[in-house]
């Protein structure tokens, strides 16, 4: 009898539930308005309890919301009143907890918090490469929102069905009626439409969809996410926040507010390390380690975890940083158990970026992985487009590769944050240092990799790029980007002989010298010298040639005394090893004389140049370029000791011969014209000197560009000529202009910059002391800044 009564009650209860469902849904939406009227709420509650007890069933009500009334109320974070579709597999929707301070993301967090308060039809996408801290930022925003009374739902992307279930659970926890969900599931409505229609009327909620990297599966029904017809929409009055490795605005559409994260700055990275390991060293040591790790949060976390372990061999920041160069594979390239699980792989540097490469492979971009591996073989600097070609990849992978394939692979790598772009040369790319290290490490462990083939591809790309550099100004930006990569040619003697590698690097050094970038030139020349000393010995002619090149670069950087000592040393060795008449020995004697003249030792300089000129006339002939250089340097030394009229005659004769032999736009011809002008100015022929300097300035600007050191030298000479002619106001203006240019191009401490600063100071002092009518030559304005004639 009791069983029959229970069965009847169940049937009656089901009928009553069906009848009362619309009523109870209405109650769920309005009962909070009645909650302030106890005479209504309590009798109704009692009636429902009696009915439930009599009928032996439970009449479900739509969940009551806590914390307020109306659409602005904060929804309760409770389990939904019906089971999810995949019963028994539902995961928690609560956000992850973290004890770590969020460092270096304060601006981004405030931006997201502002969007949370007022979405205005937008949603947030926190994007960037794996390991850059997207989840940590989202978790920090979620924690703050929850503390402020918002309902927060955290969904970890796994697949479209799970995303749908979790978003339905979130909407129902916000108060979405069950009947609306049932109607949508039965085909009477679109479930995404129903969910987002409901969320559009609710406020104070935050839904985070974390690790949404498979963007092709997010849109629903094979539609792009940007159509906003699937589960990713900007329709709610709360905020949808997505984290993803996909950084493309095209993927996320016009309503997405993209925050693309990069590595942390050095100071913030140091604070992360100190938070985790306060006893491991000083702030400076922590920042040095952060810089070595490239500010990558995942790497900082790995370092913190290692330093905090009781069994760690390297217990402080400095020891860990120094060990990275020897043990990177052990310290940050570990191969953990379960690395095939994406959730595990995301937490380890060696594997987190492999997930992105797997995704690109699934999107039809199989070249992305070998291309990233190949780029990792270059130096730790921006890679210009001349090094990223279809020819490179055809050699590297052993099959024909089109330029379109390379472009698509590059685009995919950039979209997933695995490389960035460099603005100086359009099309240049830049790898994070740890992406580069881990990619090179992975290359060495791939079973089907062919290291020799990849090395041949790298060498061919570098030598071809240097050989095909455009002449003059157009090639200079690319030359600067090639500089960090070409020294690698010295480390693969089995692929390229030392003599060929050195020739390529020396050619690039010459181009850098033409551009005025003597610091980069010195780096390259020193690399060649070190390798030649190691392989050939200290007295080999090629080694001595490299020592001469290094001394010239040191001189160009303004270190005259150091350069003179270096050139004297090379001259002594060449005189002994090669003999006094060898052309290389004559080059060294010329260079010693040139530096002596710059340092004011005019008599020694004149004697050296006279001897060198006589030997070159005998050994090389009168029209050889080196012979012409000796004539110029001898004329300069004669002018330096005061015989200006003879210097004018010698320079004019040399100019005529260079015009005949080299043409009007050759740099040596322009130098001769400039030297004639200088000598005329010292003879008091200021008008002729000024006209010649103006012509040289125009020619150098046209041929070399406005920022070349020789062009700036011409501007300095014009200021000198104006000052010597007595036009101090115009001279001061010119000095100020040249000083600003030299400060920007050469730096504040370069001798040329100091010469312009000194010239301006003298000009102003004489102008203030003597007025505008003084026409005597200025004091101390005019020896520095000679066109380079060492060899």
């Amino acid at each position: 009898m009791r069983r029959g009564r229970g069965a009847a009650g169940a049937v009656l209860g089901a009928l009553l539930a069906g009848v009362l469902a619309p009523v109870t849904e209405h109650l769920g939406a309005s009962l909070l308005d009645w909650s302030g009227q106890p005479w209504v709420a309590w009798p109704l509650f009692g009636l429902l309890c009696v009915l439930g007890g009599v009928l032996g069933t439970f009449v479900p009500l739509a969940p009551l919301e806590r914390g307020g009334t109306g659409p602005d109320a904060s929804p309760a974070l409770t389990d939904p009143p019906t089971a999810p579709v995949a019963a028994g597999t539902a995961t928690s929707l609560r956000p992850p907890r973290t004890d770590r301070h969020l460092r270096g993301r304060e601006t981004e967090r405030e931006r997201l918090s502002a969007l949370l308060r007022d979405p205005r039809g937008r949603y947030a996408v926190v994007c960037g490469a794996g390991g850059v801290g997207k989840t940590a930022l989202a978790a920090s925003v979620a924690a703050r929102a929850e503390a402020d009374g918002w309902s927060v739902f955290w969904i970890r992307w796994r697949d479209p069905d799970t995303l749908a279930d979790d978003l339905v659970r979130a909407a129902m926890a916000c108060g979405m009626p069950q009947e609306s969900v049932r109607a949508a599931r039965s085909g009477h409505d679109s479930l995404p439409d129903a969910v987002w229609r409901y969320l559009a009327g609710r406020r104070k909620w935050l839904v985070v969809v974390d690790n949404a990297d498979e963007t092709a599966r997010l849109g629903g029904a094979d539609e792009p996410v940007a159509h906003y017809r699937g589960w990713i929409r900007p329709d709610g009055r709360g905020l949808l926040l997505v984290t993803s490795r996909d950084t493309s605005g095209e993927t996320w559409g016009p309503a997405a507010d993209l925050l693309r994260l990069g590595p942390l700055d050095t100071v913030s990275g140091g604070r992360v390390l100190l938070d985790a390991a306060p006893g491991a060293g000083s702030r400076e040591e922590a920042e040095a380690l952060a810089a070595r790790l490239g500010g990558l949060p995942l790497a900082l976390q790995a370092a913190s975890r290692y330093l905090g372990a009781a069994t760690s061999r390297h217990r402080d920041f400095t020891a860990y940083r120094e060990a990275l160069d020897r043990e990177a594979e052990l310290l940050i390239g570990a191969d953990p158990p379960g690395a095939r699980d994406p959730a595990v792989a995301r937490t380890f540097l060696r594997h987190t970026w492999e997930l992105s490469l797997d995704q690109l492979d699934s999107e039809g971009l199989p070249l992305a992985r070998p291309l990233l591996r190949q780029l990792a073989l270059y130096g730790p600097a921006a890679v210009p487009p001349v090094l990223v070609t279809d020819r490179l990849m055809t050699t590297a992978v052993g099959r024909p590769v089109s330029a379109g394939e390379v472009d698509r692979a590059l685009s995919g790598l950039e979209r997933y944050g695995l490389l960035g772009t460099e603005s100086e040369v359009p099309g240049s790319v830049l790898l994070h240092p740890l992406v580069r290290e881990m990619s090179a490490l992975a290359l060495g462990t791939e079973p089907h990799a062919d290291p020799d083939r990849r090395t041949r591809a790298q060498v061919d790309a570098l030598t071809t790029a240097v050989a095909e550099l455009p002449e003059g100004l157009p090639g200079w930006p690319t030359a600067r980007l090639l500089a960090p990569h070409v020294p690698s040619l010295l480390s693969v003697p089995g692929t390229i002989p030392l003599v060929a590698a050195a020739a390529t690097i020396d050619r690039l050094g010459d181009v850098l010298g033409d551009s005025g970038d003597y610091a980069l030139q010195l780096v390259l020349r020193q690399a060649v010298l070190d390798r030649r000393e190691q392989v050939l010995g200290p007295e080999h002619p090629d080694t001595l040639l490299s020592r001469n090149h290094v001394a010239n670069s040191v001189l160009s950087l303004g270190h005259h005394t150091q350069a003179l000592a270096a050139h004297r040393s090379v001259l002594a060795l060449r005189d002994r090893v090669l003999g006094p008449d060898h052309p290389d020995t004559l080059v060294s004697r010329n260079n010693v004389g040139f530096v002596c003249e710059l340092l004011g030792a005019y008599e020694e300089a004149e004697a050296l140049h006279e001897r060198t000129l006589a030997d070159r006339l005998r050994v090389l002939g009168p029209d050889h370029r080196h012979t012409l250089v000796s004539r110029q340097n001898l004329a300069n030394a004669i002018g330096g000791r005061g015989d200006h009229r003879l210097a004018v005659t010698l320079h004019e004769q040399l100019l005529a011969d260079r015009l005949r032999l080299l043409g009007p736009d050759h740099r040596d011809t322009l130098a001769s014209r400039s030297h004639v002008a200088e000598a005329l100015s010292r003879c008091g022929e200021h008008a002729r000197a000024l006209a010649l300097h103006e012509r040289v300035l125009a020619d150098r600007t046209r041929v070399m560009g406005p920022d070349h050191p020789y062009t700036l030298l011409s501007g300095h000479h014009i200021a000198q000529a104006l000052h010597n002619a007595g036009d101090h106001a115009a001279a001061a203006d010119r000095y100020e202009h040249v000083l600003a240019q030299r400060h920007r191009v050469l730096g504040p401490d370069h001798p040329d910059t100091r010469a312009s600063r000194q010239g301006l100071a003298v000009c102003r002092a004489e102008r203030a002391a003597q007025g505008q009518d003084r026409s005597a030559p200025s004091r101390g304005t005019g020896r520095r800044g000679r066109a380079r004639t060492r060899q």
Side-chain angles (χ1 to χ4, degrees), residues 561-572:
T561 302
Q562 181 182 347
L564 179 59
H567 277 306
R568 288 192 191 278
S569 175
V570 177
L571 173 59

Side-chain angles (χ1 to χ4, degrees), residues 711-764:
T711 306
L712 303 182
L713 175 64
S714 290
H716 181 87
H717 285 159
I718 290 173
Q720 290 178 321
L722 289 168
H723 184 62
N724 291 340
D727 192 346
H728 303 301
D733 290 343
R734 177 67 72 167
Y735 273 128
E736 287 180 348
H737 180 68
V738 175
L739 177 60
Q741 288 180 296
R742 281 180 160 173
H743 190 282
R744 174 175 56 83
V745 175
L746 304 175
D749 297 325
H750 192 278
D752 287 1
T753 308
R754 292 200 301 266
S756 290
R757 190 180 297 119
Q758 178 190 15
L760 176 60
V762 170
C763 182
R764 286 174 172 171

